[in-house]
C-alpha cells in the first residue's frame, strides 16, 4: 500500500546540542569541510548511510547517541567552536562592507539553485551557477536576497533500462526533511502570497527560507490547502508540464517572488533591495510587478518603467533563440486582461514588453531586456553572440554598440576543489586561501606533492565509479555473478578523461563515437591507454538526447572496452564533484559558438585538471596555448556531418599525439614533468580568473553598484527624476522624426592625408523640437571594409557652435588621423541624457541620408 501523505518527523535535540541544529540549517556546511567532519562524528555509520545529508542524519540517529553526545565534553567543545565560527562568518564585515555607494540589498531571481546534492532543486549549469553565485556572495558579504521555487519533486533522478534508454524518476521531497524554515508573520501564522488568476481563481504560495551562509534564499511553494489541485501542482517539478504550467511557474517566480521579498523584509527587518537581478528570462515578470507597485503609488506607467529599469540587471544565458521561453500572446492576455487585468498596468503595455518580430508571440528574454537598464552575457564570446542575436532591439546601431556586456562565469572553489588540494594550499600557500591572492606561489609546490594528490583523487574517482557502475548494472537487470569484471573496470593509473553535462544535441555527447575503431584504439592502446568517464541527463521530453545517451551506453557496454569507458547515471552535484576532482583531462566539444560559458572545465582546472575543448564559452577567452588543448573547429563547413567528422578527427589526434604522450612521458622518478608544468601553469593563470569571487566582484563593481546609484537617483524626492526622465524620453521619442543631419563638411588634410594630422569636421543638424542638450552629435571614424562599412569605429562627440531660430544647430570637432590605410568617417545623432547608461538605450539614431566622408580614403 502507498501512503496518502508523506512527511518528516524531526528529532528533538537535547538542549546541549541546540547549536547542532543551527549548523544543519545553514547551508554553509555544504562547502565547509570542518562542519562536515563534526556531522560525521555524530554517528559515522549513519552519516555514510544517509549519503552525508545532515538533515537526514538528525532524523536517523539514535536518541541514545544524542544523549551520549550531550554529555561528551570534547564533542561539545568542538560544537561550540563550530557554532562560534559560523556566527563570525555570517556577521563580521567582509569585502563588500568596505565599498562606497554599494547597494543596501540585491534581489537575485533564478528558477533553480544548485546548493548541495541533498537538495535537488537544479537541473544543470544555470542552477549550479546560481548556487555558486550565492555562496560567493556570502563569502564576500554581498547582501543578496535570493528567490526561487520549491519543487516538491525536484528534478528527476536518472537510471538506465537494460537497453540503455534513460528512465526518469521523481522522488517526493518533504520540506520537513530539508534544511528549511517556514516564513511566519509576526503573529506566528505562515506568510502566504497570492496571485490572481483568470476566471476568479487564485494562486497561493507559502515561503520557505533556506539560509546559504549569509544569504537568505526564499523558495515559494504552491502545495498549500488554499489552492485547487491545478494550482497546487505549479511547483510540482522543475521544468515540467506544458506551456500554461510553465507560465504559471514564471508568474509565481517573478510576481510572487517580489511579493515574498516584501513580506520577508517586513517580517525580518531586512533591507529592501535596491537592485533586482534577473537570472535569465524565467523571472521577467518581476519587473511588471514592480511597475504595478509604483503605479499604485501614483506614478504613470512610463515613470514607473524608468524607475524599475534603473535598478534592474538582466543576465542572458542562452546563445540560441530556441533556448528562450516564449508564450502565445493570448496566454498573456488571459492572465493580464479581462477580469484578471491590473487596473494601473495596461495589458497592451505588458504585451509590448515581450513583443517580437513573430506576431502573437511573447518573448520572455526581450521583456527582461526592456525592463533592465543593464544586460550581460556570461562570457566575452557569449556577449558578442548576444549582441548579434538581440540587435533588432536597437535598430540602426552597429552590433558592437548593442548595450549587452559580459561578465564571465566563475565557480565556487570551496564547493568544487578536492579537500586534499585545499589543505595543501592552506598549508603551503595560506594567502591563496585567505585572500585568493598569491597564485604565483603554485610554482613552489613540489612535483611529488601535486602528482601524489592527483593520484589520490583519481583513485577515489575510480573506486566510486565502480560502486556506481555496479549499482547501475544491477538496476538494469544484471546479477552479481555477471559483474565480476567491474572489480577491474577503470584503472587508477591510466589517463582519465571526463565528459559530463546536460545532453542537448549541440553539446555533442557522441562526437567521440564518430570513428568507433579509432576510439577503441585509443582506449586499448597497450603503451598509453585512455579511459573515459561520461555522465549527463537529457531533458525528459528530449527523445533525441535520450538516443545520444543510448548510443554512448551501447558502445560502453561492449565487452572489449567496458573497462575503459563508462556511463555513470544520475549526474548530480556529488557525481560532478567526483569527476572534476578525479579526471586528468576535461573534454568539452560543443558546436561553437553555442556554449554560452560552461563552467565544469573551470572546476577541473582548479583541481589540477587540463582542458581539452573547442574554443567556445570561457575557453575561447582564457586558453593561452599552454594551459590545455584547443580542438580545432571547422567553422566554415556547412555540412554538419562533415564538420563533426573533421572535429572528431582533430580530437582523436590531440589525444593520441599530444595529451597521451605528455601524460605518459615519465622522468626517472616516475613523474610526468612536462604534464606537471602544464598543471602548474593552468593553476597559476586560470586560478584567479575562474573563481566565483572574481565573478561577484565584477557584478558588484560593474553592474550592482551603478544600478543602485541610478535607482536611488530616480527614486529620490518621490521619484522626481524618474518623472523627469520619463517625460524627457517621451518628448525625445515623439520629436525624433524631425532630427536630420543636413550637411557635413571637412577640411584640414589636403590631398594626401597623413598620420598625425587632424580632420576638421563641421555638421549642420536640424533638431526640430529638440534642443542641442537633448542630443549628442558624434563623428564615427576609423577603418573601412570592402563595402565602405566602418569596422569597429571610434567616436568623437562634436561640440555645439550655435543654435539658430530655425531649429538648426551647428557642431564641430577635430578627428585624429591616427592610423594608416583605408579610413572613413560619418556623423550621427543620438539622444543624450545624464541618466542614460548607453547611447543606444532608447534605440534612436539619425545618420546622413547620403554618404559623407572620406570613405575609402587612404592615409599615409
Amino acid at each position: 500500500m502507498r501512503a496518502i501523505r508523506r512527511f518528516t518527523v524531526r528529532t528533538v535535540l537535547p538542549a546541549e546540542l541546540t547549536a547542532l541544529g543551527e549548523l544543519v540549517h545553514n547551508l554553509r556546511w555544504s562547502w565547509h569541510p570542518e562542519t562536515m567532519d563534526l556531522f560525521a562524528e555524530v554517528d559515522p555509520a549513519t552519516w555514510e548511510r544517509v549519503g552525508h545529508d545532515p538533515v537526514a542524519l538528525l532524523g536517523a540517529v539514535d536518541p541514545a547517541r544524542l544523549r551520549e553526545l550531550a554529555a561528551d565534553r570534547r564533542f561539545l567543545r568542538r560544537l561550540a567552536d563550530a557554532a562560534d565560527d559560523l556566527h563570525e562568518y555570517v556577521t563580521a564585515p567582509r569585502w563588500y562592507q568596505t565599498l562606497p555607494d554599494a547597494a543596501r540589498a540585491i534581489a537575485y531571481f533564478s528558477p533553480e539553485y544548485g546548493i548541495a546534492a541533498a537538495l535537488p532543486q537544479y537541473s544543470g549549469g544555470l542552477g549550479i551557477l546560481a548556487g555558486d553565485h550565492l555562496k560567493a556572495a556570502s563569502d564576500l558579504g554581498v547582501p543578496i536576497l535570493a528567490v526561487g521555487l520549491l519543487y516538491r519533486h525536484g528534478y528527476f533522478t536518472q537510471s538506465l533500462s537494460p537497453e540503455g534508454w534513460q528512465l526518469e524518476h521523481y522522488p517526493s521531497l518533504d520540506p520537513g526533511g530539508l534544511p528549511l524554515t517556514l516564513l511566519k508573520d509576526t503573529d506566528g501564522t505562515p506568510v502566504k502570497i497570492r496571485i490572481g488568476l483568470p476566471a476568479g481563481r487564485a494562486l497561493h504560495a507559502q515561503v520557505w527560507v533556506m539560509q546559504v551562509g549569509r544569504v537568505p534564499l526564499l523558495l515559494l511553494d504552491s502545495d498549500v490547502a488554499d489552492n485547487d489541485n491545478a494550482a497546487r501542482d505549479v511547483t510540482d517539478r522543475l521544468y515540467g508540464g506544458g506551456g500554461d504550467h510553465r507560465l504559471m511557474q514564471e508568474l509565481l517566480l517573478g510576481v510572487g517572488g517580489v511579493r515574498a521579498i516584501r513580506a520577508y523584509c517586513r517580517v525580518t527587518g531586512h533591507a529592501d533591495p535596491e537592485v533586482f537581478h534577473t537570472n535569465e528570462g524565467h523571472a521577467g515578470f518581476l519587473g511588471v510587478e514592480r511597475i504595478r507597485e509604483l503605479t499604485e503609488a501614483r506614478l504613470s506607467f512610463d515613470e514607473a518603467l524608468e524607475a524599475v529599469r534603473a535598478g534592474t540587471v538582466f543576465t542572458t544565458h542562452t546563445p540560441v533563440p530556441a533556448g528562450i521561453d516564449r508564450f502565445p500572446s493570448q496566454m498573456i492576455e488571459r492572465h493580464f486582461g479581462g477580469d484578471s487585468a491590473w487596473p494601473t498596468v495596461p495589458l497592451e503595455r505588458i504585451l509590448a514588453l515581450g513583443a517580437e518580430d513573430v506576431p502573437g508571440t511573447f518573448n520572455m528574454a526581450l521583456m527582461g531586456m526592456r525592463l533592465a537598464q543593464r544586460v550581460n552575457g556570461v562570457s566575452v564570446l557569449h556577449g558578442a553572440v548576444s549582441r548579434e542575436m538581440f540587435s533588432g532591439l536597437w535598430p540602426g546601431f552597429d552590433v558592437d554598440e548593442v548595450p549587452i556586456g559580459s561578465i564571465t562565469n566563475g565557480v565556487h572553489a570551496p564547493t568544487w576543489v578536492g579537500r586534499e588540494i585545499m589543505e595543501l594550499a592552506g598549508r603551503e600557500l595560506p594567502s591563496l586561501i585567505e585572500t585568493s591572492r598569491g597564485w604565483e606561489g603554485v610554482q613552489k609546490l613540489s612535483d611529488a606533492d601535486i602528482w601524489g594528490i592527483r593520484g589520490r583523487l583519481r583513485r577515489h574517482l575510480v573506486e566510486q565509479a565502480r560502486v556506481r557502475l555496479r549499482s547501475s548494472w544491477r538496476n538494469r537487470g544484471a546479477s552479481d555473478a555477471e559483474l565480476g569484471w567491474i572489480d577491474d573496470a577503470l584503472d587508477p593509473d591510466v589517463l582519465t578523461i571526463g565528459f559530463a553535462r546536460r545532453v542537448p544535441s549541440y553539446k555533442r555527447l557522441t562526437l567521440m563515437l564518430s570513428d568507433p575503431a579509432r576510439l577503441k584504439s585509443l582506449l586499448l592502446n597497450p603503451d598509453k591507454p585512455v579511459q573515459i568517464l561520461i555522465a549527463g541527463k537529457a531533458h525528459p521530453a528530449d527523445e533525441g538526447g535520450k538516443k545520444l545517451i543510448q548510443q554512448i551506453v551501447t558502445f560502453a557496454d561492449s565487452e572489449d572496452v567496458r573497462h575503459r569507458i563508462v556511463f555513470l547515471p544520475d549526474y548530480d552535484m556529488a557525481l560532478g564533484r567526483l569527476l572534476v576532482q578525479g579526471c586528468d583531462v576535461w573534454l568539452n566539444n560543443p558546436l561553437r559558438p553555442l556554449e554560452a560559458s560552461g563552467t565544469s572545465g573551470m572546476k577541473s582546472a582548479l583541481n589540477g585538471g587540463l582542458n581539452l575543448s573547442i574554443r567556445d564559452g570561457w575557453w575561447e577567452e582564457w586558453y593561452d596555448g599552454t594551459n590545455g588543448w584547443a580542438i580545432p573547429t571547422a567553422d566554415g563547413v556547412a555540412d554538419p556531418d562533415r564538420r563533426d567528422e573533421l572535429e572528431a578527427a582533430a580530437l582523436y589526434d590531440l589525444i593520441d599525439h599530444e595529451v597521451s604522450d605528455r601524460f605518459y612521458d615519465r622522468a626517472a622518478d616516475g613523474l610526468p614533468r612536462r604534464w606537471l608544468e602544464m598543471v602548474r601553469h593552468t593553476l597559476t593563470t586560470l586560478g584567479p580568473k575562474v573563481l566565483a569571487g572574481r565573478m561577484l566582484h565584477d557584478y558588484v563593481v560593474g553592474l550592482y553598484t551603478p544600478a543602485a546609484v541610478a535607482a536611488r537617483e530616480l527614486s529620490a524626492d518621490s521619484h522626481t527624476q524618474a518623472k523627469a526622465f520619463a517625460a524627457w524620453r517621451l518628448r525625445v521619442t515623439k520629436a525624433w522624426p524631425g532630427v536630420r543631419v543636413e550637411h557635413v563638411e571637412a577640411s584640414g588634410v589636403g590631398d594626401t592625408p597623413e598620420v598625425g594630422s587632424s580632420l576638421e569636421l563641421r555638421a549642420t543638424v536640424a533638431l526640430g523640437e529638440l534642443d542641442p542638450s537633448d542630443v549628442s552629435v558624434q563623428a564615427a571614424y576609423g577603418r573601412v571594409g570592402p563595402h565602405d562599412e566602418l569596422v569597429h569605429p571610434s567616436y568623437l562627440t562634436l561640440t555645439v557652435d550655435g543654435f539658430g531660430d530655425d531649429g538648426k544647430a551647428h557642431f564641430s570637432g577635430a578627428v585624429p588621423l591616427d592610423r594608416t590605410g583605408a579610413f572613413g568617417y560619418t556623423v550621427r545623432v543620438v539622444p543624450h541624457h545624464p541618466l542614460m547608461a548607453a547611447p543606444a538605450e532608447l534605440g534612436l539614431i539619425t545618420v546622413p541620408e547620403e554618404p559623407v566622408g572620406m570613405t575609402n580614403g587612404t592615409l599615409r
Side-chain angles (χ1 to χ4, degrees), residues 473-504:
W473 276 84
R474 282 175 176 161
N475 289 337
R476 295 172 65 189
S479 65
D480 286 340
E482 300 173 84
L483 300 180
W485 63 271
I486 290 179
D487 293 334
D488 298 314
L490 307 175
D491 186 327
D493 295 318
V494 164
L495 171 62
T496 303
I497 298 176
F499 184 101
R501 50 194 35 87
R502 290 185 305 112
V503 190

Side-chain angles (χ1 to χ4, degrees), residues 432 436 439 605-606 681-692 694:
L432 195 60
S436 294
W439 285 90
L606 285 174
H681 178 71
T682 293
L683 289 169
T684 303
T685 58
L686 291 181
K689 297 176 181 177
V690 302
L691 294 177
R694 185 273 312 154

Side-chain angles (χ1 to χ4, degrees), residues 133-155:
H133 197 103
L134 301 195
K135 294 172 186 177
S138 176
D139 292 343
L140 296 176
V142 182
I144 280 180
L145 178 55
V147 181
L149 302 180
L150 179 67
Y151 304 100
R152 289 300 183 113
H153 296 282
Y155 201 56

Side-chain angles (χ1 to χ4, degrees), residues 237-484:
R237 61 183 61 170
L238 176 59
Y239 301 145
D244 194 61
H245 184 268
R246 186 74 169 262
L247 178 60
M248 294 276 280
Q249 286 189 336
E250 299 192 359
L251 284 167
L252 181 58
L253 177 60
V255 176
V258 174
R259 296 177 184 179
I261 281 178
R262 303 306 185 204
Y264 180 83
C265 293
R266 174 179 57 79
V267 170
T268 65
H270 191 286
D272 284 314
E274 294 181 290
V275 176
F276 285 73
H277 184 177
T278 311
N279 194 31
E280 198 45 88
H282 311 286
F285 288 114
L286 73 87
V288 179
E289 168 65 7
R290 293 174 62 214
I291 288 174
R292 183 199 62 79
E293 292 178 329
L294 293 173
T295 54
E296 290 187 356
R298 305 295 179 86
L299 268 65
S300 71
F301 183 94
D302 292 298
E303 293 164 352
L305 175 61
E306 297 304 337
V308 166
R309 288 184 70 253
T312 302
V313 173
F314 178 83
T315 299
T316 175
H317 292 262
T318 179
V320 290
I324 296 169
D325 276 349
R326 291 175 169 85
F327 298 103
S329 297
Q330 296 93 326
M331 197 177 289
I332 305 299
E333 292 172 5
R334 277 203 309 274
H335 283 276
F336 291 100
D339 59 0
S340 297
W342 292 358
T344 61
V345 185
L347 170 63
E348 63 271 15
R349 298 301 300 268
I350 297 175
L351 291 172
L353 290 172
E356 66 173 16
D357 293 339
V358 180
T361 302
F362 189 89
N363 185 308
M364 294 296 291
L366 294 187
M367 176 175 68
M369 292 184 181
R370 289 179 174 126
L371 287 169
Q373 194 173 39
R374 291 163 180 83
V375 181
N376 70 286
V378 291
S379 69
V380 169
L381 178 59
H382 180 236
V385 170
S386 299
R387 287 189 289 276
E388 182 73 43
M389 187 163 69
F390 295 107
S391 60
L393 282 180
W394 296 273
F397 286 89
D398 291 339
V399 171
D400 289 347
E401 282 198 284
V402 168
I404 300 176
S406 65
I407 292 179
T408 303
N409 287 343
V411 298
H412 186 245
T415 295
W416 299 105
V417 175
R419 186 168 183 176
E420 297 90 338
I421 294 177
M422 294 293 285
E423 289 175 350
L424 175 65
R427 184 172 66 250
E428 302 293 335
L429 307 169
S431 62
L432 195 60
I433 301 300
E434 296 165 6
T435 65
S436 294
R437 296 175 182 170
W439 285 90
E440 66 281 355
V442 169
Q443 300 296 334
K444 302 175 185 177
L445 300 178
S446 74
D447 285 350
D449 279 343
I450 296 174
W451 190 240
I453 287 177
R454 291 297 316 144
R456 290 194 290 277
L457 291 173
R458 192 187 312 110
R459 179 174 294 277
H460 181 60
L461 169 61
V462 166
E463 292 169 351
Q464 293 300 311
R466 289 171 180 167
V467 172
R468 288 172 175 263
L469 195 60
R470 188 179 300 277
S471 175
S472 175
W473 276 84
R474 282 175 176 161
N475 289 337
R476 295 172 65 189
S479 65
D480 286 340
E482 300 173 84
L483 300 180

Side-chain angles (χ1 to χ4, degrees), residues 222-236:
S222 70
D223 189 13
V224 293
D226 312 68
N227 286 328
D228 57 33
N229 288 337
R232 292 187 76 147
D233 286 343
V234 167
T235 56
D236 60 348

